[in-house]
Amino acid sequence: MRVAVAVSGGLDSLLALVLLREQGGDVLALHGRFLDADQSGAALERLCRGLGIPFLELDLRREFEERVIAPFVRSYLAGDTPNPCAACNPGMKFGLLLDAAQERGAGRLATGHYVRLEQGRLLRGKDATKDQSYFLSLVPAERLARALFPLGHMTKAASRAEIARRGLTPPLSRESQEICFVPDGDYRGFLESRGQDLPGPGPVLLADGRELGRHRGLWRHTQGQRKGLGLSWPEPLYVLDKDPARNALIVGPRSELAAWGCTLGQVNRLVPQDQWPATVLVQTRYRQKAKPARAVARGTGLELEFLESQTRPTPGQIAAVYTDQGQVLGGGIIIAGGN
């Protein structure tokens, strides 16, 4: 069976490609060009030619704009803090790239993600510091069934060693940015560069309604933020919430950041919910330790009731649901985070 490998130009996808080829597989290197700034296609083609692997680049810049960048901007304008990987993985990598792979005779699409797929179950990767299962929790089960993750049982250090041992140099030598289309991680500058009519100043309020000052645009702030508020108060203040209806930024002391639940929309259940354990583990940020909760279905949505308080989840971000063995049960987009 032919396998397509989504190659970005980085170390991880290159190693996934090489490992599958060394196992004797019929592989196709598939590169989706998502951004104007991506010039790695030519270098990837030369590298693949040297390895004797067919290479195909697809120009998906328009689709990436429509499916990832434009929703990212709209989400910020609506007062949320979006996670673009939530749209990219199901919509682009395991959406359009997988479709393209199948059209070219490939039954599977492999990537360099550090996750495991065993007997139809999506599991955390062996390397806890690089595990990317959180970012794949919104990919539908029928799409994951056609995925391969050759690096799931490897550590990042081992991957670097394997590439070096083969004398290969990835076209992209640096780790990919957290948000690939935002230069230097400056999302505020990126939003301003889009020429959008960005929401302007408004009140900064305590939870009881007292006004402490003015903000310069809700899109400049995110939940949990402490620095850059420009407020004078007897104790440090943090962003608790954003209220687009009043164009108000809600702030309070650290103690008010604690939350006991959140509400999810766009829920993707990888396992039928009646098969979930009574107590699940929930991760509402990438670098967060998953914590125990109860999950209650609300129509197509999901209510998560935390069994211990945690920092208030951020609307627009992903919440991934796990078993205590590291299996991903599903995920969704946080639409309310202060229950």
Side-chain angles (χ1 to χ4, degrees):
M1 177 182 67
R2 171 174 257 199
V3 175
V5 184
V7 289
S8 63
L11 180 153
D12 299 325
S13 59
L14 175 59
L15 181 58
L17 176 70
V18 171
L19 289 176
L20 290 172
R21 179 55 182 267
E22 290 176 353
Q23 292 168 12
D26 175 13
V27 296
L28 164 68
L30 194 58
H31 176 63
R33 185 181 183 190
F34 296 159
L35 301 169
D36 290 340
D38 178 8
Q39 302 294 325
S40 61
L44 275 169
E45 184 172 18
R46 288 193 297 272
L47 193 154
C48 289
R49 189 184 310 122
L51 295 170
I53 298 173
F55 171 84
L56 176 65
E57 180 177 60
L58 299 175
D59 186 350
L60 297 174
R61 287 174 289 179
R62 177 179 60 81
E63 292 84 353
F64 189 76
E65 166 69 32
E66 294 171 352
R67 297 188 180 205
V68 179
I69 298 178
F72 173 87
V73 173
R74 289 196 299 269
S75 185
Y76 261 113
L77 298 186
D80 290 338
T81 303
N83 189 319
C85 293
C88 185
N89 280 319
M92 299 299 297
K93 293 175 183 173
F94 295 99
L96 295 180
L97 279 182
L98 177 56
D99 290 343
Q102 292 181 302
E103 289 167 3
R104 289 157 179 83
R108 296 284 190 92
L109 177 71
T111 71
H113 286 99
Y114 288 86
V115 297
R116 293 175 292 148
L117 192 63
E118 298 177 0
Q119 298 178 331
R121 301 181 303 152
L122 183 64
L123 301 164
R124 290 190 184 276
K126 176 182 177 180
D127 189 339
T129 65
K130 291 298 295 182
D131 167 53
Q132 294 168 304
S133 58
Y134 172 80
F135 294 113
L136 295 180
S137 61
L138 299 188
V139 178
E142 63 271 16
R143 292 273 165 171
L144 285 174
R146 294 192 285 275
L148 285 175
F149 302 112
L151 309 189
H153 291 275
M154 299 180 66
T155 64
K156 182 71 176 188
S159 295
R160 291 194 185 99
E162 289 297 321
I163 282 289
R165 186 169 66 83
R166 290 166 173 81
L168 296 174
T169 301
L172 301 179
S173 57
R174 296 187 306 164
E175 289 281 323
S176 60
Q177 301 177 54
E178 186 174 347
I179 302 178
C180 65
F181 56 86
V182 176
D184 302 318
D186 180 11
Y187 80 88
R188 298 177 183 89
F190 174 78
L191 291 174
E192 290 176 315
S193 74
R194 297 279 294 182
Q196 300 279 155
D197 185 14
L198 298 169
V204 179
L205 307 175
L206 290 172
D208 62 12
R210 283 180 288 171
E211 183 170 336
L212 300 184
R214 305 284 291 177
H215 65 77
R216 296 190 300 123
L218 292 181
W219 53 276
R220 297 179 179 274
H221 302 282
T222 188
Q223 277 82 349
Q225 176 184 339
R226 176 185 171 185
K227 296 181 179 180
L229 297 180
L231 300 172
S232 177
W233 195 249
E235 60 183 312
L237 294 175
Y238 298 79
V239 174
L240 303 179
D241 205 353
K242 294 186 280 187
D243 184 346
R246 295 184 291 169
N247 193 26
L249 189 69
I250 314 301
V251 300
R254 186 178 182 86
S255 60
E256 293 182 16
L257 276 176
W260 288 92
C262 64
T263 303
L264 307 186
Q266 301 179 47
V267 177
N268 177 50
R269 293 174 175 86
L270 296 176
V271 176
Q273 196 166 336
D274 59 7
Q275 297 177 25
W276 291 16
T279 299
V280 297
L281 296 177
V282 173
Q283 186 173 333
T284 59
R285 291 173 174 81
Y286 176 45
R287 293 299 184 186
Q288 176 197 59
K289 181 180 179 181
K291 297 184 178 181
R294 284 188 290 267
V296 181
R298 294 282 187 261
T300 59
L302 194 65
E303 296 284 344
L304 296 175
E305 301 170 357
F306 304 151
L307 301 187
E308 56 186 71
S309 68
Q310 58 177 279
T311 302
R312 183 180 299 232
T314 303
Q317 293 290 297
I318 302 170
V321 183
Y322 295 84
T323 68
D324 56 9
Q325 288 83 36
Q327 179 183 357
V328 184
L329 297 169
I333 303 296
I334 298 166
I335 58 176
N339 300 8

